Amino acid sequence: MDESLLRVLTPEVLSVLVRRGADFAAAEDAVQEALVEAVRRWPDEPPRDPKGWLVTVAWRRFLDAARADTARRRREDAVEEEPGPGPVPDRDDSLRLYFLCAHPSLTPSSAVALTLRAVGGLTTRQIAAAYLVPEATVAQRISRAKRTVSGVRLDRPGDVATVLRVLYLVFNEGYSGNVDLAAEAIRLTRQLAARIDHPEVSGLLALMLLHHARRAGRTAPDGSLVPLAEQDRTRWDTAAIAEGVAVLQAALARDRLGEFQAQAAIAALHADAPTAAETDWVQIVEWYDELAALTDNPVVRLNRAVAVGEADGPRAGLAALAALDGSLPRHTAARAYLHERAGDLPTAAELYARAAGAAGTEAERNHLIRQAARLNTLLREGG
Amino acid sequence: MAKYLMLKHYRGAPTPEGFVPMDQWTPAEVNAHIQYMRDFAAKLEQTGEFVDAQGLAPEGTWVQYGGEGKPPVTDGPFAETKDLIAGWMIIDVDSRERALELAAELSAAPGAGGEPIREWLELRPVMSEPPTVTE
């Protein structure tokens, strides 16, 4: 049973049903039933045309459901008037599904769940395992999402920015269990990039590829975080970096800069440096300036301050940090790092310990507490 | 898309103003309170924000390693001062604001006279997986 084939076919089959006039929610139910049927029957009777098979079965299920629902008599009549299932066109318009699943009326968690199932072809169970929530919770998110978008027409182009935000949410979530959400987000963004001509789609794809390429270096075998400067760069995926850089360059050449392209440019400068010491921090600061102008996001200004600390020295970095709200995530950790670089170890140790108390992940907390412990040991032995 | 733990305490939380212990309520008031909690959990299941909820028995015991070959040490010098967790609910919501809103709603469960008990709940973020992006 080729699960990845089903994942690819799911959105295509769904779009065929929707194009034939099925309501999205009913079409989604019918496709899920057809998938269950496929899992049951294909091992013994592999179809010659898997997509055609799925469309036929799903359409039949959709008709059965529509007929059984007497309260929907009028819609049934409409369905009966539709031409019967003809040959499946080899056209793929699952692009519309992206826009539907990322519709602005959905909450982020609903949009993510619906996208992973309808566009990504993941099962409810897989999504639940990836997000560490009960299967019933994901099932509810999906059915609520389907209800929310049930009246949405599919003939208008949606907002690309919303789709990209949802895909980036999926990517950032990390991963667990048997579904790697980052890899899944890359797969979906790649598909989107193949269907839509938009520099920010390429920007996001490049950004994901560049971050993903460095993922193996980011954690030690025991699961602890390895900071960028200490990563073993031979563990980075050079093929993914090369692809990310190429995608980014093509996007930048179109001269329609956006947030994701600017972020990808920063990631590319890190990925390009053979050693941490050779990082082009001056150019990184310039890209952060671009990014700050595009987004006005305080987290961007925080990262910019750290880059300034590398380009112009820790005192300049601390001055840039001082201008920002101290309650920003990682503000204390950044101050600790710059104080250490400036040689003020007692202050750095105290700030690392305080930053550990505010960390949002265990890996980050353990990393920061180790930094504090390292400096305190140095101070004890030195004094 | 962040998980929060809502903790209810038997002991250790500040006492809300006008607090009346549950055993002084009428049975109808107790029933209304329990029904409110049930409805609250059922509503969260419907919204896709429910992760887990459990109640805990009041008799908590502190346990400590007793040394090589010795039995565990139970309770400690702080038997009378320790916090007692009465139960928890874990939610998975889109924002911290939503978590606060839900905790406040849970704290509004009716008590004596049908008035909200305004119980203090502890809201703790659950540590997450490391994100894919850090730098």
Side-chain angles (χ1 to χ4, degrees):
Chain A
M1 191 73 224
D2 185 354
E3 217 181 272
S4 60
L5 175 67
L6 286 185
R7 279 203 213 170
V8 173
L9 290 180
T10 299
E12 297 181 12
V13 173
L14 189 51
S15 0
V16 171
L17 264 66
V18 169
R19 181 148 39 80
R20 282 185 186 172
D23 163 70
F24 174 76
E28 220 275 334
D29 288 341
V31 171
Q32 290 303 319
E33 286 180 40
L35 288 172
V36 170
E37 191 78 5
V39 169
R40 205 164 57 81
R41 292 197 13 209
W42 287 9
D44 298 328
E45 312 162 44
R48 269 190 306 121
D49 172 9
K51 183 175 168 184
W53 189 98
L54 281 173
V55 168
T56 307
V57 173
W59 185 247
R60 206 182 291 140
R61 290 299 165 99
F62 166 71
L63 290 181
D64 288 348
R67 283 198 192 98
D69 193 350
T70 49
R72 297 185 181 177
R73 179 69 60 190
R74 289 194 53 203
R75 184 197 294 160
E76 181 189 355
D77 293 342
V79 164
E80 292 292 356
E81 285 161 18
E82 290 286 315
V88 179
D90 201 25
R91 190 179 73 156
D92 172 25
D93 50 3
S94 51
L95 183 58
R96 291 171 183 177
L97 290 182
Y98 277 92
F99 291 106
L100 185 67
C101 294
H103 197 270
S105 63
L106 296 171
T107 63
S109 52
S110 296
V112 161
L114 193 62
T115 302
L116 285 172
R117 184 151 101 183
V119 186
L122 294 185
T123 63
T124 305
R125 177 182 303 228
Q126 285 172 318
I127 300 168
Y131 285 96
L132 304 173
V133 295
E135 211 176 325
T137 296
V138 172
Q140 279 298 346
R141 282 181 193 170
I142 291 171
S143 63
R144 278 172 67 90
K146 287 200 291 190
R147 255 178 281 143
T148 306
V149 297
S150 67
V152 173
R153 291 178 62 90
L154 280 168
D155 52 358
R156 259 168 296 169
D159 176 12
V160 178
T162 313
V163 176
L164 297 183
R165 198 161 55 236
V166 168
L167 291 173
Y168 197 42
L169 270 181
V170 174
F171 181 78
N172 263 327
E173 200 68 24
Y175 64 102
S176 63
N178 62 352
V179 174
D180 181 337
L181 288 171
E184 186 60 24
I186 289 174
R187 187 176 77 83
L188 297 179
T189 308
R190 209 188 271 287
Q191 281 182 9
L192 184 65
R195 287 167 172 80
I196 193 172
D197 184 31
H198 192 293
E200 275 292 87
V201 178
S202 305
L204 179 61
L205 178 60
L207 178 64
M208 288 179 176
L209 287 167
L210 289 162
H211 279 313
H212 200 58
R214 290 185 277 139
R215 199 166 83 172
R218 280 189 53 216
T219 41
D222 64 359
S224 61
L225 279 186
V226 184
L228 183 58
E230 291 160 29
Q231 287 174 19
D232 174 359
R233 292 174 186 234
T234 62
R235 293 184 69 197
W236 290 358
D237 179 348
T238 46
I241 290 173
E243 189 194 352
V245 169
V247 170
L248 172 66
Q249 280 170 345
L252 289 176
R254 302 176 58 183
D255 208 21
R256 276 171 58 203
L257 189 63
E259 194 182 333
F260 289 123
Q261 293 169 76
Q263 281 193 61
I266 293 163
L269 286 165
H270 285 303
D272 264 348
T275 64
E278 290 168 82
T279 307
D280 187 347
W281 287 106
V282 174
Q283 236 199 105
I284 288 178
V285 171
E286 285 169 10
W287 276 112
Y288 271 121
D289 289 338
E290 295 272 9
L291 194 51
L294 285 166
T295 66
D296 197 34
N297 177 335
V299 176
V300 167
R301 289 203 291 276
L302 179 76
N303 287 332
R304 182 188 169 275
V306 175
V308 166
E310 301 289 353
D312 302 334
R315 292 285 161 209
L318 284 169
L321 266 187
L324 302 175
D325 179 358
S327 67
L328 283 169
R330 298 218 175 91
H331 190 278
T332 309
R335 269 178 72 207
Y337 172 73
L338 291 170
H339 273 291
E340 181 185 353
R341 290 213 35 230
D344 182 357
L345 302 196
T347 306
E350 196 234 309
L351 289 171
Y352 273 130
R354 220 197 298 160
T361 75
E362 278 185 79
E364 194 181 327
R365 180 187 62 191
N366 294 344
H367 171 72
L368 291 167
I369 209 78
R370 262 188 223 107
Q371 300 296 320
R374 176 177 57 79
L375 293 187
N376 283 326
T377 307
L378 265 178
L379 287 167
R380 264 200 312 275
E381 285 168 356
Chain B
M1 294 165 51
K3 294 192 186 67
Y4 288 86
L5 171 69
M6 288 194 276
L7 282 178
K8 290 170 75 72
H9 295 257
Y10 285 115
R11 198 162 66 210
T15 307
E17 211 173 308
F19 172 74
V20 181
M22 215 166 170
D23 58 7
Q24 309 293 316
W25 302 358
T26 67
E29 284 164 355
V30 173
N31 289 344
H33 180 82
I34 292 169
Q35 191 58 45
Y36 184 95
M37 312 291 264
R38 278 198 192 129
D39 293 346
F40 181 75
K43 191 190 80 178
L44 290 187
E45 285 174 16
Q46 289 298 312
T47 58
E49 292 169 304
F50 181 85
V51 178
D52 187 37
Q54 300 290 337
L56 293 173
E59 55 276 8
T61 308
W62 287 77
V63 185
Q64 186 195 36
Y65 175 59
E68 186 65 42
K70 292 188 182 138
V73 175
T74 55
D75 250 334
F78 20 69
E80 296 313 312
T81 57
K82 68 192 175 190
D83 279 11
L84 268 184
I85 308 294
W88 72 72
M89 182 177 278
I90 299 178
I91 52 177
D92 186 19
V93 290
D94 280 323
S95 67
R96 180 169 182 274
E97 289 64 39
R98 177 65 178 156
L100 288 172
E101 183 184 310
L102 289 175
E105 192 180 331
L106 188 57
S107 163
E115 290 296 309
I117 53 172
R118 306 168 76 110
E119 166 185 38
W120 286 95
L121 295 173
E122 195 179 349
L123 185 70
R124 304 274 301 268
V126 175
M127 289 230 174
S128 58
E129 290 276 309
T132 309
V133 179
T134 48
E135 301 88 38

